[in-house]
């Protein structure tokens, strides 16, 4: 299994600037404005005016960077756009056409076709489906057409209108210009604040107390093996033919209402899984990690303090949160049909070479298929079924090698997938509740827990099973109802 190179790690970080919505929006908006005026790039006065234009529009830029408009809230984004067009009596068909044309080229052709072809081997005809997925997408990335388009349109129109004013191309007085912009910005900013305080009400409830429902004693298990099927929808897993996972479910405990966190982005979810707390505390709020490293203790820190070892085998993004000591980064640049097989092979090598007390393995093919081909198509379900076969083969190998003696096995997902390009982040249907099955000698058999739980319980539960202290900011209760203490 090829490791992720330093180049891939940095390339992943650079890609996230255009992938994550909060960074994409200002880059794209200002970029379209500059592209529209490319003939004036040689003029120093143009760049002076552009700087002033950006300063004038900072209230709009900051507001739309600060606030996502997920799911039903995205319809409010059309109000400032329509209001600007009416109030300023301004419309530029060429500028709007450039915005839409470049956006669709970036998302459908470059991202959905060329990028996925080079990275995971999708066909060069992927655009024939991908454009439909982009139009339906509801996640927090740049591929969210219904959020990014109204945001960028009102911004480029405002940027260009203020540029025309500064360069004397508009017959409008200074006081009129200033008053209009003050009113426009006030309505937009105050409206965004009110909408998010009054209507953004579907974030999961958070545990307020530190983990205190169980006292750590001696280890209950020799080892914990956790396999995360990245981006696996709970309902699609139920539809798939997965005999081995079904067997683990029957012989262990299943949590049917295991809730992920907000925003449900991969690095954010992994950070919550293995610190036991939320993004505001561990500091990882998207896949774009500007300030490297989690800000709280992780399960890996607690294992290290007691001379035990944990290892996370996953994609390069995860290094940004946990660091190279705890993460072995696998390359995500390979044929998607081969990726999970290579990951399992490397997981076997880690067990033979290091025999960690905690091994977390991230299977990525299901998630990548959801992103590139959609989560509601047959290819996605086939990848779940393929993951079941990989898990079966790996557990059988672990048993033969003696690694499953008094070992706890956890099969789960970090988040689900929404409709569209298989996006995730805003907790659309299909994202919020994830598969979670725990199996082992000390785990109750045939038990289904239907009460709501959260993935922040994973770190303290692993701590409890391995007999190590909880991470310092762990808030999730230990999943004691699954544990047979006798």
């Amino acid at each position: 299994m090829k490791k992720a190179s330093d180049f891939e790690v940095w390339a992943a970080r650079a890609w996230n600037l255009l992938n994550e919505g909060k960074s994409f929006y200002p880059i794209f908006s200002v970029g379209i404005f500059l592209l529209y005026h490319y003939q004036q790039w040689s003029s120093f006065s143009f760049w002076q005016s552009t700087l002033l234009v950006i300063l004038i529009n900072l209230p709009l830029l900051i507001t739309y960077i600060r606030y996502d408009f997920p799911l039903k809230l995205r319809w409010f984004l059309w109000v400032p756009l329509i209001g600007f067009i009416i109030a300023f009596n301004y419309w530029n068909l060429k500028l709007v056409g450039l915005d839409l044309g470049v956006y669709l080229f970036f998302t459908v052709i470059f991202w959905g076709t060329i990028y996925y072809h080079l990275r995971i081997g999708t066909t060069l005809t992927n655009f024939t489906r991908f454009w439909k997925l982009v139009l339906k997408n509801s996640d927090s990335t740049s591929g969210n057409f219904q959020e990014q388009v109204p945001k960028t349109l009102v911004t480029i129109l405002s940027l260009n209108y203020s540029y025309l004013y500064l360069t004397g191309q508009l017959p409008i007085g200074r006081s009129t210009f200033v008053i209009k912009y003050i009113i426009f910005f006030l309505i937009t900013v105050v409206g965004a604040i009110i909408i998010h305080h009054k209507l953004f009400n579907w974030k999961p409830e958070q545990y307020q107390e530190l983990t205190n429902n169980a006292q750590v004693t001696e280890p209950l298990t020799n080892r914990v093996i956790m396999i995360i099927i990245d981006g696996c929808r709970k309902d699609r897993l139920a539809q798939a033919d997965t005999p081995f996972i079904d067997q683990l479910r029957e012989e262990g405990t299943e949590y049917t209402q295991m809730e992920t966190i907000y925003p449900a982005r991969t690095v954010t979810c992994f950070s919550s899984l293995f610190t036991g707390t939320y993004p505001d505390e561990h500091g990882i709020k998207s896949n774009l990690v500007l300030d490297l490293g989690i800000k709280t203790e992780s399960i890996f820190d607690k294992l290290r303090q007691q001379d035990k070892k944990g290892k996370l085998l996953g994609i390069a993004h995860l290094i940004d949160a946990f660091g190279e000591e705890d993460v072995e980064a696998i390359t995500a640049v390979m044929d998607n049909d081969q990726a999970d097989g290579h990951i399992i092979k490397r997981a076997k090598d880690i067990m033979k070479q290091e025999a960690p007390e905690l091994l977390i393995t991230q299977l990525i093919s299901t998630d990548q298929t959801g992103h590139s081909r959609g989560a509601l198509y047959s290819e996605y379900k086939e990848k779940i079924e393929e993951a079941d076969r990989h898990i079966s083969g790996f557990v059988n190998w672990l048993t033969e090698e003696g690694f499953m003696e008094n070992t706890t096995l956890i099969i789960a997902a970090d988040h689900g997938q929404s409709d569209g390009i298989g996006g995730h982040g805003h907790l659309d249907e299909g994202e919020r509740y994830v598969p979670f099955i725990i199996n082992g000698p000390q785990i109750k058999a045939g038990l289904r827990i239907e009460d709501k739980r959260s993935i922040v319980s994973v770190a303290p539960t692993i701590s409890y099973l391995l007999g190590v202290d909880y991470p310092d900011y762990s808030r999730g209760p230990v999943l004691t109802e699954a544990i047979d203490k006798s």
Side-chain angles (χ1 to χ4, degrees):
M1 176 69 192
K2 180 182 176 183
K3 294 184 179 181
S5 64
D6 289 341
F7 173 78
E8 183 176 341
V9 172
W10 282 100
R13 291 169 180 166
W15 170 246
N16 276 327
L17 286 170
L18 295 178
N19 181 253
E20 292 296 321
K22 288 182 181 294
S23 51
F24 169 84
Y25 154 71
I27 292 172
F28 185 83
S29 298
V30 174
I32 290 297
F33 171 78
L34 293 175
L35 186 60
Y36 182 74
H37 293 282
Y38 75 95
Q39 293 178 328
Q40 298 169 266
W41 287 2
S42 60
S43 169
F44 180 72
S45 62
F46 166 74
W47 294 103
Q48 285 182 311
S49 297
T50 296
L51 179 60
L52 288 173
V53 162
I54 292 173
L55 290 174
I56 289 171
N57 285 276
L58 274 181
L60 181 62
L61 289 163
I62 292 172
T63 299
Y64 283 166
I65 293 171
R66 169 65 178 82
Y67 292 110
D68 290 320
F69 283 74
L71 308 183
K72 61 187 180 183
L73 300 188
R74 63 195 178 200
W75 302 110
F76 289 100
L77 287 168
W78 295 100
V79 175
L81 174 58
I82 296 171
F84 181 89
I85 294 170
I86 294 173
F88 290 84
N89 191 27
Y90 179 68
W91 176 256
N92 187 318
L93 186 58
K94 289 184 179 179
L95 187 57
V96 170
L98 181 64
D99 180 282
L100 293 175
V102 175
Y103 178 82
L104 291 173
F105 174 82
F106 170 74
T107 55
V108 177
I109 304 300
F110 178 76
W111 178 3
T113 305
I114 298 172
Y115 169 79
Y116 279 128
H117 175 73
L118 295 175
R119 183 181 153 194
I120 63 175
T122 55
T123 67
L124 287 173
T125 59
N126 199 46
F127 64 89
T128 59
R129 178 184 298 178
F130 204 80
W131 73 269
K132 304 174 189 177
L133 305 179
V134 168
L135 293 181
K136 293 192 293 181
N137 187 27
S138 60
D139 70 5
S140 52
T141 68
S142 57
N144 186 342
F145 179 94
Q146 296 186 64
E147 179 171 348
Q148 297 301 333
V149 166
K151 274 186 175 181
T152 57
L153 283 180
V154 70
T155 303
I156 61 169
L157 288 174
S158 182
L159 288 169
N160 205 57
Y161 185 87
S162 51
Y163 173 77
L164 293 176
Y165 169 76
L166 289 176
T167 54
Q169 300 179 58
L170 288 178
I172 181 175
R174 177 181 295 182
S175 59
T176 303
F177 175 84
V178 171
I179 291 171
K180 280 189 173 183
Y181 261 97
I182 289 175
I183 294 173
F184 171 68
F185 288 149
L186 277 175
I187 293 174
T188 303
V189 174
V190 174
I193 294 171
I194 292 173
I195 287 167
H196 281 76
H197 276 79
K198 298 296 184 181
L199 300 178
F200 195 177
N201 55 12
W202 62 89
K203 289 184 181 180
E205 293 183 14
Q206 298 185 0
Y207 298 111
Q208 300 302 315
E209 302 294 327
L210 296 178
T211 302
N212 60 8
N213 70 316
Q215 183 68 40
V216 173
T217 56
E218 293 298 312
L220 301 180
T221 187
N222 295 338
R223 179 175 287 109
V224 173
I225 305 288
M226 184 170 185
I227 302 173
I228 297 176
I229 308 174
D230 196 308
C232 182
R233 279 179 68 126
K234 183 170 168 283
D235 58 346
R236 297 292 275 158
L237 174 62
Q239 296 165 4
D241 180 18
T242 54
F244 187 73
I245 292 176
D246 293 344
Q247 179 184 342
L248 293 175
R249 181 186 290 112
E250 293 171 4
E251 297 175 355
T253 296
E254 178 185 18
Y255 285 82
T256 64
Q257 296 293 306
M258 182 62 73
E259 193 173 31
T260 191
I261 51 91
Y262 185 91
R265 306 291 290 150
T266 295
V267 184
T268 305
C269 292
F270 270 74
S271 299
S272 288
L273 278 164
F274 302 116
T275 63
T277 190
Y278 302 97
D280 285 342
E281 287 188 323
H282 61 60
I284 308 299
K285 299 182 179 181
S286 75
N287 285 348
L288 177 61
V289 183
L290 298 176
D291 187 7
L292 299 181
I294 53 175
K295 305 302 180 269
T296 63
E297 286 184 327
S298 71
I299 183 63
F300 304 108
D301 297 316
K302 288 305 184 183
L303 288 168
R304 199 160 25 246
Q305 291 171 12
Q306 297 194 20
D307 296 322
K308 295 184 178 182
K309 186 173 184 60
K311 180 65 73 173
L312 169 53
L313 178 63
I315 57 174
H317 295 325
L318 298 174
I319 288 179
D320 294 348
F322 295 101
E324 294 185 0
E325 183 176 3
D326 297 323
V327 177
E328 177 160 328
I330 52 179
T331 181
V333 183
M334 69 172 71
D335 191 303
N336 199 39
D337 292 334
Q338 301 175 11
D340 285 353
H342 285 296
I343 292 168
I344 292 297
K345 182 177 183 299
R346 181 56 193 151
K348 292 177 181 179
D349 292 339
I350 291 173
M351 289 305 302
K352 287 190 291 186
Q353 295 165 9
E354 304 179 34
E357 281 80 9
L358 171 64
L359 175 66
I360 301 151
T361 301
Q362 178 193 23
L363 300 182
I364 62 175
S365 290
T366 299
D367 182 72
Q368 293 188 151
T369 298
H371 282 296
S372 60
R373 300 293 287 164
L376 300 183
Y377 291 83
S378 60
E379 298 100 319
Y380 180 83
K381 183 165 71 75
E382 290 167 3
K383 277 291 173 279
I384 296 175
E385 294 169 350
E386 185 180 290
D388 179 74
R389 294 191 291 271
H390 285 303
I391 294 170
S392 176
F394 183 43
V395 174
N396 289 335
W397 178 87
L398 290 168
T399 303
E400 293 170 1
E401 296 293 322
F403 290 117
M404 288 303 292
E405 183 177 351
N406 193 27
T407 291
T408 301
L409 179 65
I410 302 174
I411 307 297
D414 51 342
H415 54 74
Q417 295 273 25
S418 68
D419 198 3
I421 62 171
H424 48 89
H426 284 334
L427 299 187
D428 196 358
E429 181 182 357
E431 293 181 56
R432 187 165 193 153
Y433 295 100
V434 299
F436 193 91
I437 299 166
I438 185 168
N439 184 293
Q442 66 292 324
I443 302 301
K444 295 176 183 177
L447 181 63
R448 283 171 58 90
I449 306 294
E450 297 186 0
D451 295 333
K452 186 184 293 186
R453 296 291 185 269
S454 169
I455 63 171
V456 297
S457 284
V458 169
T461 299
I462 294 174
S463 294
Y464 185 77
L465 289 169
L466 292 175
V468 300
D469 292 336
Y470 305 128
D472 57 354
Y473 280 86
S474 173
R475 298 189 181 278
V478 176
L479 301 175
T480 53
E481 56 274 340
I483 300 172
D484 186 353
K485 298 179 182 179
S486 64

